[in-house]
């Protein structure tokens, strides 16, 4: 999917919601355990109930990997029931030397046809570039993450006289590898005070924003500071939507939770998007 | 496996060789393609031919992940035929927020019983600590990698007046999370000139050293600069050993290639290890 197509979906659905499919086998509603593949059945019903309210789904790959080979089968089946107009993000945080990153790119872009994959920047150019070779596919590079550990290295200041933080150097350097048509960035909603610094370096790129909800970030704050002319935001919510209920009504309640966020996003788009 | 036990194996085998199981289905000897699981059969024969010459095996997880669910089955079967006294490293470069890293730790330490997993440091403390909770298991943290992209961020100098590089800060900060009994570090053989800086910060830790052979690093150089009283080195070789021949004699030729490295290591241990 291209950046233009993603923006069209945002306008059509009045939403920039990304739903995190962090599907934990231990948190599934009891009645799903009778299905042959409970994880897939859970995802299928969540997707059916919410696909008109969101523009992206983001399976957290660890949840599937922790289930062994069966987890990868559930993931593949999940991908197949996501409507083609919804952007897909493999939240895998991969990244290795060139010939190895090529294999990860093959796993997520060819074998599984994801639209994008999250990538860690520590190993530099040749660990990221193999993910940038296919049109309509995106790297979502870690820049400033939502967790406490983001302080350890991402917020270190560099000696080059620029007074910049490491995450700004990551943004700047990565612009030599790709552009807004094949790179997005992870910027946590808990980092709203730094979003203007992000936008100075990558004004046009989409930001994938985790950390609203369970981690304490504010949707309104991150939207006011981070939105650009094409919205440029995908705000992720996982637990607050997919685990809104653990009963028979889990999909219905997930829809209600997603609808509440979509309504808030609709208002923010009206307020902030320069037409 | 504990650090002491690993050192005992090094003394016993007179080797600190780690063999990389970067098993590419496209590079298998033709005659293996008749087996039900050619990747496993290749690994099984390589392990049988080399297990007395090396102290560690390091499957590169991307090679298995790129084969879909079957790849994980091949990986699991491979692990089961590695003798218990040989250290195992899941070269996965994982790392995510705390609750997600917990799941990756479960995947590699519980479901698959690896002794260690490689982890990327960019997301900081809470992305690494979940891998440090089990005795006899190790994080192998990326510090200074062997690839060209290591220059992009790992070699940035910090503004704190210390004249230190980012990789040194990674080493220093990570010492607050664990110690030589549960953390090792990736330091590329191509980075020999910086190994003394590494040893200043982590004198006792094992270093996992890729980059000898195909990538151009020197075994003698990295050994002279990096060896400590318990050897403290695991030097990886993959392609030069496992693809020594693509014919019927692949396992025999792999053994010859591993034997040549083991002999060189035996001489280096005699020269350098302070008895």
């Amino acid at each position: 999917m291209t950046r233009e197509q993603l923006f069209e979906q945002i306008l059509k659905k009045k939403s920039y919601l990304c739903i995190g499919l962090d599907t934990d086998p231990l948190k599934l509603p009891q009645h799903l355990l009778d299905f042959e593949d409970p994880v897939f059945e859970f995802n299928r019903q969540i997707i059916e109930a919410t696909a008109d309210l969101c523009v992206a789904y983001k399976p957290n790959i660890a949840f599937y990997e922790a289930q062994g080979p069966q987890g990868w089968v559930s993931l593949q089946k999940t991908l197949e029931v996501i409507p083609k107009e919804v952007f897909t993000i493999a939240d895998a945080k991969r990244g290795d030397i060139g010939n190895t990153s090529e294999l990860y790119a093959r796993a997520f872009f060819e074998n599984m046809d994801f639209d994008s994959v999250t990538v860690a920047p520590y190993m530099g150019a040749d660990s990221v570039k193999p993910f940038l070779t296919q049109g309509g596919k995106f790297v979502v590079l870690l820049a400033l993450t939502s967790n406490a550990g983001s302080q350890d290295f991402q917020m270190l200041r560099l000696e080059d006289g620029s007074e910049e933080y490491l995450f700004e150097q990551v943004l700047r350097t990565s612009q030599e590898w790709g552009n807004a048509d094949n790179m997005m960035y992870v910027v946590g909603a808990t980092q709203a005070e730094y979003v203007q610094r992000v936008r100075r370096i990558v004004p046009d790129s989409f930001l994938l924003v985790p950390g609203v909800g369970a981690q304490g970030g504010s949707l309104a704050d991150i939207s006011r500071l981070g939105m650009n002319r094409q919205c440029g935001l995908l705000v992720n919510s996982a637990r607050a939507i997919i685990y809104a209920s653990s009963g028979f009504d889990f999909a219905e309640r997930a829809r209600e939770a997603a609808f509440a966020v979509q309504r808030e996003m609709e208002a923010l788009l009206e307020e902030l998007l320069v037409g």
Side-chain angles (χ1 to χ4, degrees), chain A:
Chain A
M1 182 181 293
T2 66
R3 182 161 60 115
E4 284 297 334
Q5 289 168 331
L6 178 57
F7 182 47
E8 283 166 20
Q9 288 297 316
I10 289 169
L11 292 178
K12 183 177 161 195
K13 292 179 169 174
K14 296 172 179 152
S15 171
Y16 44 103
L17 173 61
C18 172
I19 296 181
L21 298 173
D22 299 12
T23 308
D24 183 342
L26 303 177
K27 288 191 185 166
L28 296 179
Q30 280 296 316
H31 72 283
L32 292 184
L33 303 183
D34 295 334
F35 283 81
E36 192 194 331
D37 184 343
V39 166
F40 166 66
E41 182 60 24
F42 178 84
N43 288 349
R44 192 191 66 73
Q45 292 195 37
I46 291 282
I47 291 162
E48 193 175 276
T50 59
D52 62 322
L53 300 173
C54 68
V55 295
Y57 287 108
K58 180 174 75 63
N60 182 331
I61 303 304
F63 285 76
Y64 302 87
E65 195 166 303
Q67 295 166 56
Q70 173 57 41
W72 294 90
V73 174
S74 303
L75 178 62
Q76 177 63 47
K77 286 159 67 184
T78 297
L79 259 188
E80 287 163 10
V81 297
I82 296 177
K84 282 291 159 224
E85 71 273 16
V86 184
F87 191 77
T88 51
I89 304 165
D91 196 0
K93 315 270 196 317
R94 297 298 192 260
D96 207 314
I97 63 171
N99 77 330
T100 300
S101 274
E102 276 172 28
L103 289 168
Y104 283 126
R106 189 197 300 170
F108 290 107
F109 289 158
E110 293 178 29
N111 299 1
M112 290 193 281
D113 202 22
F114 273 98
D115 292 310
S116 66
V117 58
T118 57
V119 175
Y122 190 70
M123 292 182 68
D126 57 287
S127 70
V128 178
K129 285 180 177 173
F131 293 96
L132 293 170
T133 57
Q134 298 184 53
K137 303 284 188 185
F138 288 79
V139 161
V140 187
L141 194 68
L142 302 186
L144 187 53
T145 56
S146 58
N147 62 325
S150 63
Q151 298 298 308
D152 288 326
F153 307 122
Q154 300 166 28
M155 293 296 294
L156 290 176
R157 280 191 192 268
L158 302 177
E159 183 233 28
D160 57 3
S162 66
E163 303 226 325
E164 287 199 337
Y165 296 107
L166 175 60
F167 78 86
E168 292 175 285
Q169 188 67 48
V170 167
L171 291 167
R172 207 176 286 287
T173 300
S174 72
Q175 290 289 295
E176 298 165 16
W177 311 333
N179 55 50
D181 289 320
N182 59 8
M183 297 194 85
M184 302 183 176
Y185 298 93
V186 173
V187 177
T190 51
Q191 310 281 8
E193 61 197 292
Y194 298 104
V195 169
Q196 287 168 310
R197 297 182 77 123
V198 171
R199 277 292 179 222
R200 237 178 273 155
I201 304 172
V202 292
D204 299 325
S205 301
F206 266 87
L207 309 181
L208 171 63
V209 182
V212 164
Q215 293 180 59
S218 152
L219 173 61
D221 288 352
I222 200 79
S223 299
R224 293 208 166 86
L225 294 162
M227 198 174 285
N228 67 17
R229 290 175 310 168
Q230 285 191 315
C231 180
L233 298 173
L234 295 173
V235 175
N236 187 69
S237 178
R239 287 167 269 187
I241 291 176
I242 69 174
Y243 299 132
S245 157
S246 58
F248 282 96
D249 61 348
F250 78 95
E252 193 184 324
R253 297 286 296 279
R255 180 174 176 80
E256 289 170 11
F259 186 60
V261 180
Q262 182 274 322
R263 290 297 302 272
E264 194 180 346
M265 288 179 167
E266 183 170 347
L268 287 163
L269 283 167
E270 275 176 26
E271 177 193 334
L272 301 170
L273 199 64
V274 186

